Amino acid sequence: MKYGLVLEGGAMRGLFTAGVTDVLMENEIEFDGAVGVSAGACFGCNYKSRQPGRAIRYNQRFCKDKRYCSTWSLLTTGDMFGAEFCYHTIPEELDVFDKETFAANPMEFYAVSTDVETGKAIYHRCRNGSYSDLEWIRGSASMPLAARIVEVDGRRILDGGIADSIPLRFMEAVGYERNIVILTQPRGYVKRQTKSLPLVKAAYRKYPELVQAVANRHRMYNDELAFIEDAEKKGRALVIAPEEKLPIGHIEHDYTVMLEVYRLGRKAAMESLDRVREFLGQNISSEE
């Protein structure tokens, strides 16, 4: 049986996910594969590289750096989150991403993006943490209106959450029979259609399939929540979610807020450890 990890996006809400995954790593919880969307891909890749603590560390270190995330970056580069600084300077120089461990770890890792031409999801398997892999991860997290279209390996992509926000169906389709699903919205959350749809229509009028995907995203998302709920009832999934709406937005420059959301993730993971171990067949008490 193959065990998987499904990581929702949500921009800075992803620090909740980072808190959960750090606790799982620290407790030597192993998965055969993982899939991450947007922030889930950006932070989740540290699971395969075995680097707990890295996501919260660099987010706190650079949260006030205009090269990392700022209106200045958006106006001067076209990306709210600076493409070169976030996805290459930091992982290659300032808080090094362990590509060797990433490549050596047999755990599969997929980053989900949306093809702007078709409006469909692309599931790219990141194998070695190469420049191309990091560009796929950047594309996965490139939010419409706040980032440029990413061109990588002949594809034009944007935020994976547009086409597949919580890809449990994908993981089951590729053979993962039991999956831990980490959500960044509390149970009972219902997504509404984005208020920015008129701006999206104007900005991406050359990509009607992408616009349609954005228009339908709330339906897709709510359908996926229903699928996850059913999978959990039938024993195929185990969900870890925040107890209530996380006190953070898409953008955050206060490191104390970041740390609070991260700690909420750690708390949720600690409270779920025994359930996780039982679900994965690792019946070792968390007190041992």
Side-chain angles (χ1 to χ4, degrees):
M1 182 174 290
K2 293 174 67 176
Y3 298 96
L5 181 63
V6 179
L7 307 174
E8 182 184 6
M12 286 296 102
R13 294 198 314 271
L15 289 172
F16 174 86
T17 300
V20 174
T21 55
D22 280 359
V23 167
L24 298 183
M25 280 191 277
E26 290 161 6
N27 284 272
E28 301 181 345
I29 304 296
E30 299 288 343
F31 294 92
D32 299 298
V35 60
V37 181
S38 193
C42 294
F43 302 157
C45 62
N46 295 298
Y47 214 114
K48 182 170 166 61
S49 66
R50 303 184 190 276
Q51 290 178 281
R54 181 172 176 270
I56 186 61
R57 183 174 63 239
Y58 73 71
N59 272 280
Q60 287 194 290
R61 179 180 174 186
F62 299 112
C63 65
K64 297 182 184 297
D65 192 317
K66 66 181 183 179
R67 298 170 297 173
Y68 184 65
C69 176
S70 65
T71 302
W72 173 87
S73 178
L74 178 62
L75 294 175
T76 58
T77 71
D79 296 293
M80 181 71 75
F81 287 87
E84 187 63 27
F85 186 74
C86 293
Y87 294 95
H88 300 291
T89 302
I90 290 176
E92 293 170 9
E93 301 174 21
L94 302 178
D95 196 319
V96 176
F97 180 60
D98 189 344
K99 295 180 181 180
E100 291 185 3
T101 298
F102 185 92
N105 187 344
M107 173 186 181
E108 295 181 345
F109 186 80
Y110 296 90
V112 184
S113 59
T114 300
D115 188 315
V116 301
E117 303 282 356
T118 67
K120 303 296 184 183
I122 303 173
Y123 307 91
H124 174 76
R125 183 176 173 187
C126 301
R127 298 178 182 273
N128 53 23
S130 64
Y131 187 96
S132 175
D133 280 348
L134 295 178
E135 286 292 279
W136 279 102
I137 291 172
R138 176 165 79 93
S140 179
S142 292
M143 297 178 289
L145 306 177
R148 293 169 294 166
I149 292 172
V150 176
E151 298 188 27
V152 55
D153 296 338
R155 309 297 289 269
R156 296 167 61 82
I157 60 175
L158 279 175
D159 187 355
I162 299 168
D164 193 349
S165 296
I166 318 167
L168 176 60
R169 280 190 179 95
F170 164 75
M171 287 297 274
E172 291 190 345
V174 295
Y176 289 86
E177 300 166 88
R178 308 195 93 191
N179 292 275
I180 303 291
V181 180
I182 303 178
L183 303 180
T184 59
Q185 296 284 12
R187 292 178 185 269
Y189 172 78
V190 177
K191 183 175 281 296
R192 307 297 181 188
Q193 188 176 67
T194 178
K195 295 179 180 179
S196 65
L197 185 58
L199 293 175
V200 170
K201 287 181 177 179
Y204 301 103
R205 57 188 179 277
K206 294 181 180 179
Y207 304 103
E209 298 299 331
L210 175 71
V211 171
Q212 190 62 41
V214 173
N216 291 331
R217 183 183 180 187
H218 63 296
R219 298 188 184 93
M220 172 273 295
Y221 185 94
N222 295 330
D223 175 71
E224 291 190 336
L225 287 179
F227 181 83
I228 291 165
E229 181 179 3
D230 182 67
E232 189 172 32
K233 288 178 180 177
K234 294 177 178 176
R236 305 194 318 269
L238 186 154
V239 174
I240 300 176
E243 294 183 356
E244 55 189 29
K245 182 177 174 62
L246 294 170
I248 197 168
H250 281 80
I251 307 300
E252 183 57 63
H253 299 293
D254 187 337
Y255 67 86
T256 62
V257 174
M258 291 181 165
L259 185 59
E260 173 60 19
V261 171
Y262 172 76
R263 285 174 172 167
L264 288 172
R266 291 189 63 89
K267 179 176 179 288
M270 290 300 297
E271 292 172 348
S272 302
L273 263 181
D274 286 340
R275 288 194 305 128
V276 168
R277 283 176 163 143
E278 182 178 2
F279 182 78
L280 299 176
Q282 301 175 18
N283 295 308
I284 304 172
S285 172
S286 58
E287 297 179 356
E288 293 182 3

